[in-house]
Amino acid sequence: MSQPVAGDPPRLALPAGPHAMPVPAVLAALGVPDAEGLRDDEVAARRALFGPNAIAARRAASALRLLLHQFAGPVVYLLGAAAGLAFWFGELEEGSAILAVLAINAAIGFATELKAARSIEALRALGGHAARVRREGHVRLVSAEELVPGDIVLLDAGDAVPADLRLVEAAQMAADESTLTGESVPVEKHTRPVPRETRLGDRASMLFKGTSVTRGSGAGVVVATGLATELGRVTQLSLEADAGSSPLERKLARLSAQLVWATLALAVAIAVVGLARGQELLLTLESAIALAVAAIPEGLPIVATLALARGMWRMARQNALIERLSAVETLGATTVILTDKTGTLTENRMTVRRLATPSGEIEVATGAHGSAGHAEAAARLAGDRQASLLLRVAVLCNDASLDHAGHHASGDPMEIALLRAGHHAGLKRRDLLAERPLVRKHAFDAATRMMATVHESGDGFLVAVKGAPEAVLAVTTRVIADHGDVALDEHARGEWLAHAGRLGIHGLRVLACAMKLQTGPDGAPYEGLVLVGLIGMEDPARADVPQAIRDCHRAGIRVVMVTGDHAVTARAIARAVGLAGETGEVVEGKAIAGLLANPAALRDVSIFARVSPAEKLALVRACQAAGEVVAMTGDGVNDAPALRQADIGVAMGLRGTDVAREAAAMVLLDDAFPTIVKAIRQGRVIFGNIRRFVAYLLSCNLSEVMVVGAAVLTGLPLPLLPLQILYLNLVTDVFPAFALAMGEGEAGILSRPPRDPREPLVGRAQWLAIVAQGAALTAATFAALAVARWLALDPRQSVTVTFLTLAFGQLWHAFDMHDFRAGFLANEATRNAWLWAASALCTVLLAVPPYLPPAAQLLDLAPLSGPMWATVLACSLAPLVVTQVVMETARRRPRARASPAE
């Protein structure tokens, strides 16, 4: 009888290590009767104790929270303070303009960041099925969420497993656990205990929530529900995994903080100097506001967002769907790719590779029907009677189905592979069954590790058998020969076992096939068999992966396989794709803990096998702690925590689970590993473009700061007014900067090693160029002011000349943003059609306002005369000419270094 749970539910505890306990001990620990199942009152008490069989979801960030997040940050606070001061002193136009800038930035950021965190919801969906349970001696259909520990669940082929179960009954049962463990073929299940230390993928006495039964039937007692299941532990790992901020986000945040502190320091200095000179408080504060507006590149967040979005659109056209904008740039900084095996490096489809018969061994081509590979394979098999007989037996002894065209299949992946191999050789199961009708089937039994089918064959019956090599060879007494068959002695049997072992060493899954003829259908199927041969199968490497991995190595990116599959299989695939040599070291998951404290040791390993979700997550964290920018690829539930933790999680779109896709920052729509290489190239191009337009914006804004600061320090009237500066920063700076972000990049960008992840967005070389270029623009502006005074222009006309000189000088300055090794007329800037279009647009936006009364009044501009225009053009072009002369001089120098703009 069961334990009285209802009276004292806290006394019931889930058994530890149920996979290692005999069935009676598990049932006793859970207080479950052998046959009847739980009573309804026991179910209610246990549900109160353990809760529903559901995976809790993390609450998604609300739209309001995301909106408020857009107004957080030092730059926003500084501009907000400037707007407040403007309103306080009655400068409504200036205050409103600053607030408009903040509103535009917030709207763009809100639109791009608004998305739900769907990873945990997808995990919940995996368990949302109905289940057949035995309660009070009756079989009932209940919601999977209503299951409690101790329930007896009944399962057949095709059923989803609704909770973690300890099997109490199993008949020829196998389960697909690829999404949880990475195992590429179904796992045979039985009721016998396994050692307590057995790893998750080898616990044959258990079924796990979120997996599915592929063959056979059975029953299991629920030993864990909800977050206590293995799937629930993956959920908890996903909750604990912190996606964090991207390298670009951290660099922009650091740059913004630096700008804010520099601006505050300058503003205080200007205010102190102004007050010391006896200037009015209002004029001093107006100068400080102008300085604050000039120092902050208001267009930077807009251009950065649009540049990343443009990169996202480009990648989408190359089958890479970006979920987070910052992931575009992060790819360019990637230093190591931790990649799953099944479905990522391989096709996730079992394929027959070798046929071994007494006449020799044949490597099977797997080309599409009608292809040269298919025709050659069919011709070779047609000329090899023994190989053809081997495939004939494998196709007959089969439970899977394949349509007549060979496209759509269902059943066990290994049996489907046998049908496909037969189809390629012209042996269709439907045709074979028409010749030899099926009269009896002996289903695969985990105890015998064999399967047999009996067919009519002339006046007798043909028995076709397949199974594990050691099991089949143990019951064979003869082996086929060129003419009939010959005896199989112990020496020959040992040679066949050794042959099977050699195939296994190369990562192949090996089956043996045998047959016999008998007079009736009822004879013992596994006695007196004739060995036909061995079949080696594998989940083959994708054909395009080796070149992609070579491209990664050429780009200085390390590729590491991290899989839940067996070490032998992992090593074979690694060799096929170029990840390891003949003696490539494989570290199994249980040994990972000892390596985590030694980052140098981790760098020497390219293959990790039998790795659990927690160990994958630990590997990602260890690499990140060592300073790596980590890209993690995967397609299964077991990959989700590591995908979320990685700097850039990459999921497979075709074969990937919903959990993996929702946890990742990028989804490969074609499941092609080479698409990652294309995305990495695009990421490097994006970073180079961002560095260019950031340098451009900062040099432009620095010139504005220098102009305002020099005017205050020398007692001159302000050559630029706050609203004019805002107009420059928001309108005329944004379009050239965005055009610079549209650059296509250089042809050899993937031949360079990854940049140091600690390298700032704007380094020492870039700052030197920014200061020099800002000083040149400042000098040109004051030169224009001097000419304006010489022309005896009034204050408004003088401000108009200086404003347009600086504006056009900044516009021409965009053509300085190219590699100095390229010439003036043929470089990235002059080939950029977007930059020419932006220049034309900005020319209109600058030239028209002085002649439109409302705009002229708002910006305090005056119409220009001929001498005024001549001054503007001459002074604004001077910095461009000087910069190009300097770059040409540097280009002609030997051993020239890279451009600071790069």
Side-chain angles (χ1 to χ4, degrees):
M1 296 295 292
S2 63
Q3 299 296 324
V5 180
D8 190 13
R11 289 191 303 174
L12 181 68
L14 298 179
H19 59 279
M21 300 169 61
V23 170
V26 176
L27 295 176
L30 290 168
V32 181
D34 291 343
E36 293 83 0
L38 298 176
R39 300 192 309 269
D40 288 340
D41 60 335
E42 292 175 323
V43 171
R46 295 182 188 216
R47 186 175 299 117
L49 176 61
F50 295 105
N53 179 32
I55 297 176
R58 175 187 287 172
R59 181 178 299 175
S62 66
L64 178 60
R65 183 177 177 183
L66 287 177
L67 181 61
L68 293 177
H69 176 69
Q70 308 308 315
F71 295 99
V75 172
V76 175
Y77 302 151
L78 182 61
L79 290 176
L85 286 174
F87 283 126
W88 180 265
F89 288 101
E91 302 291 340
L92 300 182
E93 294 87 354
E94 294 177 7
S96 300
I98 295 174
L99 291 182
V101 171
L102 293 176
I104 292 172
N105 285 342
I108 293 176
F110 176 74
T112 55
E113 291 183 11
L114 182 60
K115 68 185 186 80
R118 298 179 297 270
S119 177
I120 309 305
E121 284 75 8
L123 281 166
R124 292 182 67 189
L126 283 176
H129 307 285
R132 289 184 300 131
V133 299
R134 189 185 297 144
R135 290 177 180 170
E136 295 189 331
H138 302 285
V139 176
R140 304 177 184 176
L141 189 67
V142 302
S143 169
E145 286 197 8
E146 298 178 11
L147 293 178
V148 297
D151 263 328
I152 302 294
V153 178
L154 309 180
L155 293 164
D156 288 315
D159 288 345
V161 180
D164 281 5
L165 310 176
R166 171 62 166 91
L167 286 172
V168 298
E169 302 171 14
Q172 292 83 48
M173 179 177 278
D176 179 1
E177 299 178 348
S178 59
T179 60
L180 187 63
T181 67
E183 178 68 56
S184 55
V185 296
V187 180
E188 302 296 334
K189 296 295 181 178
H190 55 69
T191 61
R192 301 185 299 277
V194 296
R196 182 176 291 273
E197 65 274 10
T198 302
R199 296 181 64 79
L200 186 68
D202 297 321
R203 295 177 186 175
S205 59
M206 297 286 297
L207 290 174
F208 300 105
K209 183 180 177 70
T211 63
S212 60
V213 178
T214 61
R215 185 182 67 239
S217 61
V221 60
V222 176
V223 295
T225 58
L227 287 175
T229 64
E230 293 298 330
L231 182 64
R233 291 189 176 96
V234 174
T235 303
Q236 290 177 311
L237 290 173
S238 293
L239 288 168
E240 294 166 4
D242 182 13
S245 57
S246 73
L248 177 63
E249 290 170 330
R250 294 191 290 269
K251 287 180 173 67
L252 287 175
R254 186 162 55 247
L255 178 61
S256 297
Q258 292 170 348
L259 289 175
V260 166
W261 285 111
T263 300
L264 289 174
L266 285 172
V268 170
I270 293 299
V272 170
V273 172
L275 292 175
R277 288 177 174 272
Q279 291 180 348
E280 296 180 3
L281 178 61
L282 179 59
L283 180 60
T284 301
L285 290 176
E286 186 179 37
S287 300
I289 292 174
L291 187 65
V293 173
I296 302 299
E298 290 82 3
L300 180 57
I302 298 176
V303 178
T305 299
L306 293 179
L308 293 174
R310 169 67 175 173
M312 180 182 70
W313 300 330
R314 283 178 176 173
M315 290 186 185
R317 289 198 295 267
Q318 297 178 347
N319 291 313
L321 179 63
I322 300 298
E323 293 287 345
R324 292 197 294 268
L325 282 179
S326 59
V328 177
E329 181 275 336
T330 307
L331 273 166
T334 299
T335 59
V336 61
I337 299 175
L338 304 181
T339 176
D340 186 33
K341 176 186 71 67
T342 305
T344 306
L345 300 179
T346 68
E347 296 179 1
N348 197 24
R349 185 180 73 173
M350 293 302 293
T351 303
V352 173
R353 282 301 190 202
R354 302 277 180 87
L355 300 178
T357 64
S359 62
E361 187 173 307
I362 294 178
E363 186 163 352
V364 181
T366 55
H369 185 76
S371 68
H374 169 268
E376 181 182 351
R380 291 178 63 193
L381 289 172
D384 191 319
R385 187 184 67 84
Q386 293 182 0
S388 181
L389 179 60
L390 176 59
L391 279 179
R392 190 180 297 267
V393 171
V395 171
L396 285 173
C397 186
N398 207 299
D399 271 334
S401 62
L402 181 69
D403 68 6
H404 205 64
H407 299 312
H408 303 290
S410 62
D412 184 278
M414 295 180 72
E415 293 195 322
I416 292 173
L418 296 174
L419 292 184
R420 290 190 188 278
H423 182 86
H424 288 165
L427 300 173
K428 298 179 175 63
R429 190 165 191 267
R430 186 172 65 179
D431 297 339
L432 295 183
L433 290 177
E435 297 173 5
R436 292 179 170 82
L438 177 67
V439 296
R440 184 155 302 174
K441 180 188 300 183
H442 300 271
F444 180 87
D445 190 336
T448 63
R449 302 177 68 193
M450 289 181 288
M451 170 188 176
T453 56
V454 183
H455 305 264
E456 293 181 8
S457 180
D459 296 333
F461 294 88
L462 169 70
V463 180
V465 176
K466 76 173 189 295
E470 55 272 24
V472 173
L473 284 165
V475 294
T476 55
T477 57
R478 302 185 70 81
V479 60
I480 62 170
D482 291 335
H483 302 286
D485 52 65
V486 297
L488 182 71
D489 57 25
E490 288 302 319
H491 176 71
R493 184 177 285 108
E495 288 184 342
W496 279 103
L497 285 172
H499 197 157
R502 288 192 296 272
L503 293 176
I505 289 175
H506 287 88
L508 299 181
R509 312 272 179 168
V510 185
L511 288 178
C513 291
M515 57 174 283
K516 69 177 178 177
L517 291 172
Q518 59 188 27
T519 57
D522 299 324
Y526 305 129
E527 293 179 1
L529 295 173
V530 178
L531 179 67
V532 181
L534 304 174
I535 299 177
M537 291 175 285
E538 69 174 351
D539 179 13
R542 296 172 64 100
D544 51 4
V545 168
Q547 181 59 49
I549 289 179
R550 285 193 292 271
D551 291 340
C552 287
H553 291 163
R554 183 166 56 89
I557 300 169
R558 201 161 54 93
V559 182
V560 179
M561 179 195 296
V562 183
T563 178
D565 214 337
H566 293 279
V568 171
T569 306
R571 183 185 288 110
I573 294 298
R575 288 172 180 164
V577 300
L579 276 182
E582 289 297 318
T583 59
E585 180 185 2
V586 180
V587 173
E588 294 201 1
K590 58 188 177 184
I592 288 178
L595 293 177
L596 294 181
N598 186 2
L602 283 176
R603 294 192 183 97
D604 296 333
V605 181
S606 296
I607 313 168
F608 291 93
R610 307 304 283 169
V611 180
S612 70
E615 289 159 348
K616 286 187 179 184
L617 182 60
L619 273 176
V620 172
R621 287 173 170 164
C623 290
Q624 290 173 326
E628 306 275 12
V629 175
V630 181
M632 172 75 196
T633 74
D635 62 352
V637 175
N638 57 324
D639 299 317
L643 287 172
R644 180 173 175 80
Q645 176 69 39
D647 295 292
I648 172 74
V650 183
M652 303 296 118
L654 296 178
R655 295 184 176 92
T657 61
D658 288 342
V659 178
R661 288 193 294 267
E662 299 303 335
M666 184 175 82
V667 177
L668 302 183
L669 301 180
D670 58 358
D671 284 12
F673 191 85
T675 302
I676 300 175
V677 181
K678 297 177 184 177
I680 288 174
R681 182 192 184 280
Q682 192 62 237
R684 292 189 177 187
V685 170
I686 291 289
F687 183 83
N689 291 342
I690 289 177
R691 173 170 277 182
R692 283 191 182 93
F693 76 66
V694 166
Y696 169 74
L697 288 176
L698 290 180
S699 56
C700 291
N701 283 69
L702 181 61
S703 66
E704 296 162 8
V705 170
M706 289 180 171
V707 168
V708 173
V712 172
L713 292 175
T714 57
L716 294 172
L718 288 177
L720 297 173
L721 301 179
L723 209 54
Q724 294 174 347
I725 296 173
L726 197 61
Y727 184 77
L728 285 178
N729 289 357
L730 186 61
V731 179
T732 57
D733 280 2
V734 167
F735 296 112
F738 182 63
L740 291 171
M742 303 292 281
E744 297 293 335
E746 303 168 25
I749 198 167
L750 273 182
S751 299
R752 305 171 185 170
R755 67 179 183 274
D756 188 340
R758 295 165 295 185
E759 178 184 346
L761 183 63
V762 181
R764 181 174 179 273
Q766 288 78 36
W767 277 119
L768 290 175
I770 287 168
V771 171
Q773 291 160 349
L777 290 171
T778 301
T781 302
F782 278 103
L785 179 60
V787 174
R789 289 195 165 191
W790 180 73
L791 293 174
L793 300 179
D794 63 41
R796 188 171 184 178
Q797 290 176 318
S798 297
V799 169
T800 301
V801 168
T802 54
F803 166 71
L804 290 178
T805 297
L806 182 58
F808 277 106
Q810 293 178 352
L811 185 58
W812 313 143
H813 174 47
F815 290 93
D816 293 330
M817 309 309 295
H818 63 82
D819 187 343
F820 79 109
R821 290 168 291 192
F824 171 61
L825 297 178
N827 55 60
E828 303 98 302
T830 57
R831 288 192 295 265
N832 190 337
W834 291 92
L835 188 55
W836 288 105
S839 299
L841 175 62
C842 290
T843 298
V844 174
L845 293 175
L846 292 173
V848 170
Y851 302 98
L852 291 179
Q857 182 177 359
L858 181 65
L859 295 174
D860 201 14
L861 299 175
L864 284 81
S865 62
M868 293 170 65
W869 272 118
T871 302
V872 168
L873 293 176
C875 293
S876 64
L877 284 170
L880 175 66
V881 173
V882 172
T883 301
Q884 292 302 318
V885 168
V886 172
M887 294 177 74
E888 179 65 20
T889 302
R891 187 171 70 90
R892 293 175 181 272
R893 290 178 58 189
R895 295 184 299 178
R897 295 186 178 181
S899 166
E902 298 299 314

